[in-house]
Amino acid sequence: MSRELSARLLGELQQLVLIDPHTHINPHAPASKTLADIMGYHYYTELAHSAGMAKHRIEEAGLDPKLKVGRLVEWLHHLDNTIQVSWLVELCRKFFGFEGDRITPANWEALYDRAAKKMAEPDWEDQCLTQSGIERVFLTNDFDDPLTGFNSERYIPCLRTDDLVFHLAKPEVRQRLAKATGHEFTNTLGLKDSIGKLFEHFKKHGAKACAISLPPWFSPRNPGLSEVRGPLHRLLANEALSAEEALRVSEFVFWTLAEYCVEYRLPFDLMIGVNRRVYREGVFQGQDLFDQRVSLIQYQELFNAFPQVTFPISVLAQSSNMELVSYAWIFPNVVLNGHWWYSNIPAYITLDCRSRLQAVPRSKNVGYYSDMYKLEFAWPKFQMYRQVLSQVLAEDFVIARGWTEEQALDLGQQVLRGNVEAIFGV
Amino acid sequence: MSRELSARLLGELQQLVLIDPHTHINPHAPASKTLADIMGYHYYTELAHSAGMAKHRIEEAGLDPKLKVGRLVEWLHHLDNTIQVSWLVELCRKFFGFEGDRITPANWEALYDRAAKKMAEPDWEDQCLTQSGIERVFLTNDFDDPLTGFNSERYIPCLRTDDLVFHLAKPEVRQRLAKATGHEFTNTLGLKDSIGKLFEHFKKHGAKACAISLPPWFSPRNPGLSEVRGPLHRLLANEALSAEEALRVSEFVFWTLAEYCVEYRLPFDLMIGVNRRVYREGVFQGQDLFDQRVSLIQYQELFNAFPQVTFPISVLAQSSNMELVSYAWIFPNVVLNGHWWYSNIPAYITLDCRSRLQAVPRSKNVGYYSDMYKLEFAWPKFQMYRQVLSQVLAEDFVIARGWTEEQALDLGQQVLRGNVEAIFGV
Amino acid sequence: MSRELSARLLGELQQLVLIDPHTHINPHAPASKTLADIMGYHYYTELAHSAGMAKHRIEEAGLDPKLKVGRLVEWLHHLDNTIQVSWLVELCRKFFGFEGDRITPANWEALYDRAAKKMAEPDWEDQCLTQSGIERVFLTNDFDDPLTGFNSERYIPCLRTDDLVFHLAKPEVRQRLAKATGHEFTNTLGLKDSIGKLFEHFKKHGAKACAISLPPWFSPRNPGLSEVRGPLHRLLANEALSAEEALRVSEFVFWTLAEYCVEYRLPFDLMIGVNRRVYREGVFQGQDLFDQRVSLIQYQELFNAFPQVTFPISVLAQSSNMELVSYAWIFPNVVLNGHWWYSNIPAYITLDCRSRLQAVPRSKNVGYYSDMYKLEFAWPKFQMYRQVLSQVLAEDFVIARGWTEEQALDLGQQVLRGNVEAIFGV
């Protein structure tokens, strides 16, 4: 009974057209052109490398796309158990008429050609979105993105701020900031102004969120200006900062971002817990990991200081989910946001989805985002989430608590779509 | 088959009359008088506030109880997914003849009146306990509670010691202590004696446990008297203590409590992991959270030093459950105690219950306590636990390990009731 | 359907003959002689002690084996819920014709005698292995083990190195090292040479891994020789080392082991997270626990520095599993290895098995090892794992992802056996 019920709920939830609230889509090239764009997604390159494929076979300069796919396919039999490869197979079946259950050295080439032909159709982007049931897509824009030349009804800008908070000591970052704002800052006030100009620019172009990913050791605080002046001076002089000095600058920029989120009424997406470049010889985007010893208690000052700002929060470690549930249960401005990266597999989504639906107000739960780089991934990733969600709704709500199917669907629709509209104001 | 089996076990377990081994019941006013008493439980106020309800709408001075309920009901549709609201609906259905599945602006007032009428019956306290299948209830008493004027067969005193360990620097706490013991302590020995007097008083009035909640950073140790004397002197002089000095005093008082638990043969309930006042503008009792970075290794000296004391332990973070299971598996004096606060939702209880039943001697497992403030909550909370327990017994014992239903029920009865009797000596 | 399917998969997986990649078998006395050998396994003594049995009743000098079993049996009714006792009952049913479901004061003596008779058969070792479906067994050898006098086709040596890394300050450890290598080292280079000789010896005798268990606070690094010389000198002079100095020596020895793993092409099994002697009055081998606050980030330098070494990793805390999954997903040289000790119960294996199969290349997953001290335990422990594995394969692969049963079995066989052969080169 549970299985039929869950399938029925899934069927209904698949009808709902969605807004994807966090992606890395390039709005100037949102869809793939070949399977190399699709299989170039770091999940496949890093897993193939993890299984033994040499990095240079993947990242060789000038590598022909088709050759690259052929090489990756040789390693897929080591990865076919992974949910990530199931996304690949599912999207090939949905979009490219693939009928197998494995992509192999024997069948990949025909698939490659068929896919390339399909993706060459001039309206492929539209087709893909329509078939995927996605109508709007949040972007992750560099702070100096001009935000022009794309359909801003469909693609919603989002100000990504990692570079500002953690890499302001790099001259090129400051140069980009100067160019974007028409102003070279020389002190704390000037830096604040420059950041303000970015918010103004983004807000004018329809941005719906400010976002950042944060290492596990970061703990936001509002440093006094006197603490920041010295380090900022030295940074502007291109002197090497101590770890403590660099932290003062990061704290200052971060706190300034939160202040502008108040002024510009933007949610501040926090993606908490990633250590960058842990595996230094890893493939592109396949080097980052984490330290589970992180706590949302590190954010208590922030949450207390900015009651007017909504913080949609993603955590990287599954062991952080319970804290996230509890903080969202208590703090009005803390909101659940999707299932991030290493947590984005059915085993963990199931545990997390269940606790979130049982303990956090339903209006504070953004169920899922795809985090995709190319549009073709929205469908299989959201589908994975919908399957988990349907099962949890069936078991925990309809069966265990006697809800009607309509009530359960209503809850499902709210976390899949309604809350994205309400929380991000789209 | 699993579902029918589980329902059968649940039916049997519901017959068992229970002792509730940890509550916050006021024995002078154990039952509610109106729905405002019930919906004033911090779970509803904090969740409504988390969903957007302004604090002053809840905590306005002199707010009429009925008006307060009406205001809270306006927010229930944001919370109806939570297990906490399901407790509310279930108790209204059980006790007050409520027939709906949602409490809404359209139906709450009739419910309010019906409930008030029911609760005005002179024997409501008895009715409620009988219908709930509860015969004895542990209290959480301030150290200066006179412990008189209530039925001490039904309500079992328990010495709560947070104030002594963490707030002795407050003059009012010391005044309360002086009044309760008839003695103003002026040094470490005097403080020991005062604490001893409290144990004597509580033991004489039938106390069955000493209890405390502890922050994640606390690590019990036995400080030398020489380490404590200075800080205690400064404390008595109302001088401000450094964090280190305050910690010495806390360690000393805590260790003294454990020593008296030996002398007075009392279990020492440890509720480990809460940070107080994390959300400073939160509603009453809706401000506390936690830091998952805590370990029972912090308690190794305590567990080694006091083999004669039983420590029933509750952990706040679900990620601490595995440590708790492992420490209870190894240390004879470490006992499992219920599912506390943020861990008290079916998603986490299921995981925790399963591991506890698989790996810890059955005699060391106190399955559940309600933690209630008003008697009406025992039934829905224990019922939630019984549902999880029945399912785990069905799946992990009867189906997976071939136990008979009688064997499974026997295990269920032991963790629900037998161990409460054996461990607390009631 | 799920249950029948899972039972079918289990039936097939039971046919597979296995290699057990981590045990504590003594190859000179691999099988038990009486139930006392079996019930002397620390799981039973520590659980009985935890439930209240006095340590001296278990560890009394010269205690008659049969008397010891009789005493332990008196406590089994407190433990019969544990999965560990289910192993005991299952092996008695399988090997000794036991027909009950509980071992009790009324039936244990007949069982004891029947078991003793069975185990006295001259080919009991062979019978036990054949019935258990085990053909080769990894050992855990002291670094000074001569590695002779046993069937090295069946029993595969493994160099255990805890003593070298953490106890070199003990004169007896250095004496054992001198005796084993025929050389007393007097400086860092001499120590390196001595360790090299151990590798040579072990490799010559067919060792297939180097192994160590590590405390949660350890973080491998390559200390400069200049950092190590002083501490090593003082150690050789039997002076007491500070914690920092001792750590330098540990780091140096550990790093040297990794270097020799390159040279001798041996996988380096890391068993991460155990604190020794936490419960100081515990029974033999029943004193160790852990601190969940550990992270694989502590191993990042090691994993980066030794890309040529395969690190099969076991973690003690279940909360570490997600890090392990993620690190194995990214680092080519990090491999999953079994379900260790406190994590080795169905509740945790299920969660861990599920995430591992969903997110790590299938070729990097060593599903299980028994960790046994006596051969009789391989069967019930592997059987417990096979039951979990079958259920995960049924639910997550056949049902949720539409795999054929053959595909699912193929995956199951790879993690049960194929990867042991491929990763350890047996």
Side-chain angles (χ1 to χ4, degrees):
Chain A
M1 167 182 142
S2 147
R3 215 169 307 277
E4 289 75 21
L5 170 61
S6 164
R8 235 170 16 245
L9 294 172
L10 177 61
E12 290 296 322
L13 292 176
Q14 283 175 206
Q15 306 303 315
L16 192 69
V17 175
L18 302 178
I19 299 164
D20 189 340
H22 175 68
T23 79
H24 295 269
I25 290 294
N26 171 1
H28 307 290
S32 299
K33 291 203 172 357
T34 70
L35 267 192
D37 291 340
I38 289 172
M39 291 188 62
Y41 195 17
H42 66 84
Y43 286 105
Y44 307 113
T45 55
E46 75 201 14
L47 281 167
H49 177 55
S50 173
M53 185 176 183
K55 181 181 171 178
H56 70 86
R57 299 271 298 168
I58 300 166
E59 301 194 345
E60 199 181 311
L63 182 59
D64 172 75
K66 192 163 179 178
L67 190 55
K68 181 175 178 178
V69 170
R71 287 180 180 179
L72 284 165
V73 166
E74 287 171 37
W75 292 84
L76 283 182
H77 65 289
H78 292 309
L79 318 177
D80 60 17
N81 60 301
T82 64
I83 199 71
Q84 295 86 350
V85 168
S86 87
W87 302 337
L88 174 66
V89 172
E90 290 307 309
L91 77 85
C92 288
R93 292 171 63 96
K94 179 162 185 89
F95 297 128
F96 310 131
F98 182 64
E99 292 181 346
D101 57 10
R102 297 285 190 282
I103 299 170
T104 69
N107 68 19
W108 76 271
E109 206 164 348
L111 171 63
Y112 186 95
D113 295 338
R114 205 161 348 120
K117 200 170 155 197
K118 184 74 201 169
M119 292 188 271
E121 292 178 12
D123 64 341
W124 170 239
E125 175 187 345
D126 292 344
Q127 283 188 54
C128 179
L129 282 169
T130 305
Q131 286 185 55
S132 304
I134 300 287
E135 61 178 355
R136 305 186 73 182
V137 172
F138 278 57
L139 308 175
T140 292
N141 303 90
D142 286 337
F143 66 79
D144 56 341
D145 190 318
L147 303 177
T148 52
F150 60 83
N151 174 354
S152 65
E153 274 306 296
R154 176 174 284 178
Y155 297 108
I156 300 170
C158 169
L159 171 58
R160 183 70 174 238
T161 56
D162 302 44
D163 285 346
L164 296 169
V165 172
F166 295 108
H167 301 296
L168 204 62
K170 296 181 183 169
E172 63 271 25
V173 171
R174 298 202 300 279
Q175 284 154 18
R176 286 168 48 206
L177 180 59
K179 196 169 163 203
T181 59
H183 177 75
E184 278 193 43
F185 73 89
T186 57
N187 57 27
T188 54
L189 285 183
L191 175 52
K192 277 208 178 193
D193 282 349
S194 294
I195 295 172
K197 287 205 171 70
L198 301 178
F199 273 80
E200 196 186 339
H201 169 69
F202 269 75
K203 189 74 180 186
K204 201 174 67 189
H205 286 83
K208 294 297 181 191
C210 177
I212 190 168
S213 75
L214 297 152
W217 47 262
F218 189 69
S219 192
R221 60 186 280 274
N222 185 11
L225 281 185
S226 62
E227 291 181 65
V228 183
R229 273 190 204 109
L232 194 65
H233 235 80
R234 288 168 46 69
L235 177 150
L236 286 165
N238 288 322
E239 294 174 31
L241 300 195
S242 71
E244 277 305 301
E245 289 172 324
L247 187 54
R248 288 297 89 71
V249 175
S250 294
E251 288 167 351
F252 176 72
V253 176
F254 183 88
W255 207 263
T256 301
L257 293 172
E259 289 169 346
Y260 281 115
C261 285
V262 179
E263 187 174 336
Y264 287 92
R265 294 202 192 87
L266 284 179
F268 196 174
D269 291 354
L270 307 183
M271 312 187 78
I272 295 175
V274 62
N275 289 96
R276 300 293 180 183
R277 302 207 62 232
V278 173
Y279 173 35
R280 295 189 298 270
E281 296 300 316
V283 298
F284 178 63
Q285 295 179 329
Q287 306 182 352
D288 306 336
L289 279 157
F290 61 96
D291 181 339
Q292 64 162 339
R293 295 167 302 179
V294 59
S295 173
L296 292 182
I297 201 85
Q298 298 165 227
Y299 290 80
Q300 65 173 326
E301 287 316 314
L302 181 76
F303 300 152
N304 276 293
F306 294 98
Q308 324 92 313
V309 177
T310 298
F311 295 99
I313 292 184
S314 301
V315 288
L316 193 47
Q318 199 266 335
S319 57
S320 296
N321 178 69
M322 194 213 173
E323 281 195 352
L324 179 53
V325 165
S326 305
Y327 280 68
W329 159 348
I330 291 297
F331 276 103
N333 53 343
V334 172
V335 162
L336 309 167
N337 197 17
H339 301 270
W340 190 29
W341 204 338
Y342 296 109
S343 289
N344 186 29
I345 65 172
Y348 294 133
I349 297 173
T350 302
L351 296 175
D352 296 352
C353 177
R354 185 155 263 152
S355 54
R356 293 175 185 194
L357 289 177
Q358 286 175 359
V360 177
R362 56 192 288 168
S363 51
K364 300 181 69 184
N365 187 338
V366 175
Y368 198 72
Y369 51 75
S370 75
D371 217 358
M372 65 183 168
Y373 285 76
K374 290 291 176 187
L375 293 183
E376 291 80 5
F377 283 96
W379 189 78
K381 291 180 122 186
F382 270 101
Q383 188 65 359
M384 171 184 69
Y385 176 69
R386 276 186 292 249
Q387 284 165 344
V388 172
L389 178 63
S390 303
Q391 199 184 336
V392 173
L393 291 171
E395 291 175 5
D396 289 13
F397 290 85
V398 180
I399 295 174
R401 285 168 57 182
W403 283 33
T404 66
E405 291 187 37
E406 289 66 34
Q407 288 171 330
L409 279 174
D410 191 48
L411 176 55
Q413 288 162 349
Q414 183 172 7
V415 304
L416 269 168
R417 162 133 196 171
N419 288 334
V420 178
E421 298 182 53
I423 289 166
F424 294 100
V426 291
Chain B
M1 167 184 145
S2 148
R3 216 169 306 276
E4 290 76 20
L5 169 61
S6 163
R8 240 178 0 253
L9 295 173
L10 177 61
E12 291 294 324
L13 292 176
Q14 282 175 207
Q15 306 304 314
L16 192 67
V17 175
L18 302 179
I19 298 163
D20 189 339
H22 175 67
T23 79
H24 295 268
I25 289 294
N26 171 359
H28 308 288
S32 299
K33 291 202 172 357
T34 71
L35 267 192
D37 290 339
I38 289 172
M39 291 187 63
Y41 195 17
H42 67 83
Y43 285 106
Y44 307 112
T45 55
E46 75 200 12
L47 282 167
H49 178 55
S50 172
M53 185 177 183
K55 179 181 173 179
H56 70 88
R57 300 271 297 169
I58 300 167
E59 302 195 343
E60 199 180 312
L63 182 59
D64 172 75
K66 191 162 181 178
L67 190 55
K68 181 175 177 177
V69 170
R71 287 180 181 180
L72 283 164
V73 165
E74 286 171 39
W75 292 85
L76 282 183
H77 65 290
H78 293 309
L79 319 176
D80 59 17
N81 58 301
T82 64
I83 199 71
Q84 294 86 350
V85 169
S86 85
W87 302 336
L88 174 65
V89 173
E90 291 306 310
L91 77 84
C92 289
R93 293 171 62 97
K94 178 160 186 90
F95 298 127
F96 310 131
F98 182 63
E99 292 181 344
D101 58 10
R102 297 286 191 279
I103 298 170
T104 69
N107 67 21
W108 76 271
E109 207 164 347
L111 171 63
Y112 185 95
D113 295 339
R114 206 163 346 122
K117 200 170 155 199
K118 184 75 200 166
M119 293 187 272
E121 294 177 8
D123 63 342
W124 170 240
E125 176 187 341
D126 292 342
Q127 283 189 53
C128 180
L129 283 168
T130 306
Q131 286 185 54
S132 304
I134 300 286
E135 61 178 353
R136 305 186 73 183
V137 172
F138 278 57
L139 307 175
T140 292
N141 303 89
D142 286 337
F143 66 80
D144 56 342
D145 191 318
L147 304 177
T148 52
F150 59 84
N151 173 354
S152 65
E153 273 306 297
R154 176 176 283 178
Y155 298 109
I156 301 170
C158 169
L159 171 58
R160 183 70 174 238
T161 56
D162 301 46
D163 285 344
L164 295 170
V165 173
F166 295 109
H167 301 296
L168 203 62
K170 296 182 183 168
E172 62 271 26
V173 172
R174 298 201 301 278
Q175 284 154 18
R176 287 169 49 208
L177 181 58
K179 197 169 161 203
T181 59
H183 176 76
E184 276 192 47
F185 73 88
T186 57
N187 56 28
T188 53
L189 285 183
L191 176 51
K192 277 208 178 192
D193 281 349
S194 294
I195 295 172
K197 287 206 172 69
L198 301 179
F199 273 79
E200 196 185 339
H201 170 68
F202 269 74
K203 189 73 180 186
K204 199 175 67 190
H205 286 84
K208 295 296 181 191
C210 177
I212 190 168
S213 75
L214 297 151
W217 48 261
F218 189 70
S219 192
R221 59 186 280 275
N222 184 10
L225 282 185
S226 62
E227 291 181 66
V228 183
R229 273 190 203 109
L232 195 65
H233 234 81
R234 289 168 47 68
L235 177 149
L236 286 166
N238 289 321
E239 294 174 32
L241 300 196
S242 72
E244 277 305 302
E245 289 172 324
L247 188 53
R248 286 300 86 74
V249 175
S250 294
E251 288 167 351
F252 175 73
V253 176
F254 183 88
W255 207 262
T256 301
L257 293 172
E259 289 168 345
Y260 281 115
C261 284
V262 179
E263 187 174 335
Y264 286 92
R265 294 204 193 85
L266 284 179
F268 196 175
D269 291 354
L270 307 183
M271 313 188 76
I272 295 176
V274 61
N275 290 96
R276 301 291 180 184
R277 301 206 64 231
V278 172
Y279 173 36
R280 293 188 298 270
E281 295 301 316
V283 298
F284 177 63
Q285 294 180 328
Q287 306 181 353
D288 305 336
L289 280 158
F290 61 96
D291 181 337
Q292 62 161 342
R293 295 168 302 179
V294 58
S295 173
L296 291 182
I297 200 86
Q298 298 165 228
Y299 290 80
Q300 74 179 111
E301 286 316 313
L302 182 75
F303 299 153
N304 276 292
F306 294 97
Q308 323 92 313
V309 177
T310 299
F311 295 99
I313 292 183
S314 300
V315 289
L316 193 49
Q318 198 268 333
S319 57
S320 296
N321 178 68
M322 193 212 174
E323 280 195 351
L324 179 54
V325 165
S326 306
Y327 280 68
W329 157 349
I330 291 297
F331 276 103
N333 52 344
V334 173
V335 162
L336 309 167
N337 197 17
H339 300 270
W340 190 29
W341 205 338
Y342 297 109
S343 289
N344 186 29
I345 66 172
Y348 294 133
I349 296 173
T350 302
L351 296 174
D352 297 351
C353 178
R354 185 155 263 153
S355 54
R356 292 175 185 194
L357 289 177
Q358 286 176 359
V360 176
R362 55 192 291 170
S363 51
K364 301 181 69 185
N365 186 338
V366 175
Y368 197 73
Y369 50 75
S370 74
D371 217 358
M372 64 184 168
Y373 285 75
K374 289 291 175 186
L375 293 183
E376 291 79 5
F377 282 97
W379 188 79
K381 292 179 122 184
F382 270 101
Q383 187 66 358
M384 171 184 70
Y385 176 70
R386 276 187 292 249
Q387 284 164 345
V388 172
L389 178 63
S390 303
Q391 200 184 336
V392 173
L393 290 172
E395 291 176 5
D396 290 12
F397 289 86
V398 179
I399 295 173
R401 286 167 57 182
W403 284 33
T404 65
E405 292 187 39
E406 288 67 33
Q407 288 171 329
L409 279 174
D410 190 49
L411 176 55
Q413 288 161 348
Q414 183 171 9
V415 304
L416 270 167
R417 162 133 196 172
N419 288 334
V420 177
E421 297 182 54
I423 289 168
F424 294 101
V426 289
Chain C
M1 169 180 142
S2 148
R3 214 167 310 273
E4 289 76 22
L5 169 61
S6 164
R8 241 178 359 253
L9 295 173
L10 176 61
E12 291 294 324
L13 292 176
Q14 283 176 206
Q15 307 303 315
L16 192 68
V17 175
L18 302 179
I19 299 164
D20 189 339
H22 175 68
T23 79
H24 295 269
I25 289 294
N26 172 359
H28 307 290
S32 299
K33 291 201 171 358
T34 71
L35 267 192
D37 290 340
I38 289 172
M39 291 187 62
Y41 195 16
H42 66 83
Y43 286 106
Y44 307 112
T45 55
E46 76 201 11
L47 282 166
H49 178 55
S50 172
M53 185 178 184
K55 181 181 171 179
H56 70 89
R57 300 270 298 167
I58 300 167
E59 303 194 342
E60 198 180 311
L63 182 59
D64 172 75
K66 193 163 179 177
L67 190 55
K68 181 174 176 177
V69 170
R71 287 180 181 179
L72 284 164
V73 166
E74 287 171 37
W75 292 85
L76 283 182
H77 65 289
H78 293 308
L79 318 176
D80 60 17
N81 59 302
T82 64
I83 199 72
Q84 294 87 352
V85 168
S86 85
W87 303 336
L88 174 65
V89 172
E90 290 306 309
L91 76 85
C92 289
R93 294 171 61 96
K94 180 162 184 89
F95 297 128
F96 309 131
F98 182 63
E99 291 182 345
D101 58 10
R102 297 285 190 281
I103 299 169
T104 69
N107 67 22
W108 76 271
E109 206 164 347
L111 172 62
Y112 186 95
D113 295 338
R114 205 163 348 122
K117 200 171 155 197
K118 184 76 201 167
M119 292 187 273
E121 292 177 9
D123 64 342
W124 170 240
E125 175 187 343
D126 291 343
Q127 283 187 53
C128 180
L129 282 168
T130 305
Q131 287 185 54
S132 303
I134 301 287
E135 61 178 353
R136 304 186 73 182
V137 172
F138 278 57
L139 307 174
T140 292
N141 303 90
D142 285 337
F143 68 80
D144 56 342
D145 190 317
L147 304 177
T148 52
F150 59 82
N151 174 355
S152 65
E153 272 307 296
R154 177 175 284 178
Y155 297 109
I156 301 170
C158 169
L159 171 57
R160 183 69 174 239
T161 57
D162 302 46
D163 285 345
L164 296 169
V165 172
F166 295 108
H167 300 297
L168 203 62
K170 296 181 184 169
E172 62 271 25
V173 172
R174 297 203 300 280
Q175 284 155 18
R176 286 169 48 207
L177 181 58
K179 196 169 162 200
T181 59
H183 176 77
E184 276 193 47
F185 73 89
T186 57
N187 57 27
T188 54
L189 285 184
L191 175 53
K192 277 207 178 192
D193 282 350
S194 295
I195 295 172
K197 287 206 172 69
L198 300 179
F199 273 80
E200 196 185 338
H201 170 68
F202 269 75
K203 189 74 180 186
K204 201 174 67 189
H205 286 84
K208 294 296 181 191
C210 177
I212 190 169
S213 75
L214 297 151
W217 46 262
F218 189 70
S219 191
R221 59 186 280 275
N222 185 10
L225 282 185
S226 61
E227 289 180 66
V228 183
R229 273 191 204 109
L232 194 65
H233 234 79
R234 289 167 48 66
L235 177 150
L236 286 166
N238 289 320
E239 295 175 32
L241 301 194
S242 72
E244 276 306 301
E245 289 172 324
L247 188 54
R248 287 298 88 72
V249 175
S250 294
E251 289 167 351
F252 175 73
V253 176
F254 184 88
W255 207 262
T256 301
L257 293 172
E259 289 168 347
Y260 281 115
C261 284
V262 178
E263 187 175 333
Y264 286 92
R265 292 201 193 86
L266 285 179
F268 196 174
D269 290 354
L270 308 182
M271 313 189 76
I272 295 175
V274 61
N275 289 96
R276 301 292 180 183
R277 302 206 63 232
V278 173
Y279 173 34
R280 294 189 298 270
E281 296 300 315
V283 298
F284 178 61
Q285 294 180 328
Q287 306 181 353
D288 306 335
L289 280 157
F290 60 96
D291 181 339
Q292 63 162 340
R293 295 167 302 178
V294 57
S295 173
L296 291 182
I297 200 85
Q298 298 166 225
Y299 291 80
Q300 76 180 110
E301 287 316 313
L302 181 76
F303 299 152
N304 276 292
F306 294 97
Q308 324 93 312
V309 176
T310 299
F311 295 100
I313 292 183
S314 300
V315 289
L316 193 48
Q318 199 266 334
S319 57
S320 296
N321 178 68
M322 192 211 175
E323 281 195 353
L324 179 54
V325 165
S326 305
Y327 280 68
W329 158 349
I330 291 298
F331 276 103
N333 52 345
V334 173
V335 163
L336 309 167
N337 196 18
H339 300 271
W340 190 29
W341 203 339
Y342 297 109
S343 288
N344 186 29
I345 65 172
Y348 294 133
I349 296 173
T350 302
L351 296 175
D352 297 352
C353 176
R354 186 155 262 150
S355 55
R356 294 176 184 193
L357 289 177
Q358 286 175 359
V360 177
R362 56 192 288 170
S363 51
K364 301 180 69 185
N365 187 338
V366 175
Y368 198 71
Y369 52 75
S370 74
D371 217 358
M372 64 184 168
Y373 285 75
K374 289 290 176 187
L375 292 183
E376 291 80 5
F377 282 98
W379 188 79
K381 292 180 121 186
F382 270 101
Q383 187 65 357
M384 170 185 70
Y385 176 69
R386 277 186 292 249
Q387 284 164 344
V388 172
L389 178 63
S390 303
Q391 198 184 337
V392 173
L393 290 172
E395 290 176 7
D396 289 14
F397 289 86
V398 179
I399 294 173
R401 285 167 59 181
W403 284 32
T404 65
E405 291 186 38
E406 288 68 32
Q407 288 171 330
L409 279 174
D410 190 48
L411 176 56
Q413 288 161 348
Q414 183 171 9
V415 304
L416 270 167
R417 161 134 196 171
N419 288 334
V420 178
E421 298 182 52
I423 289 167
F424 293 100
V426 289

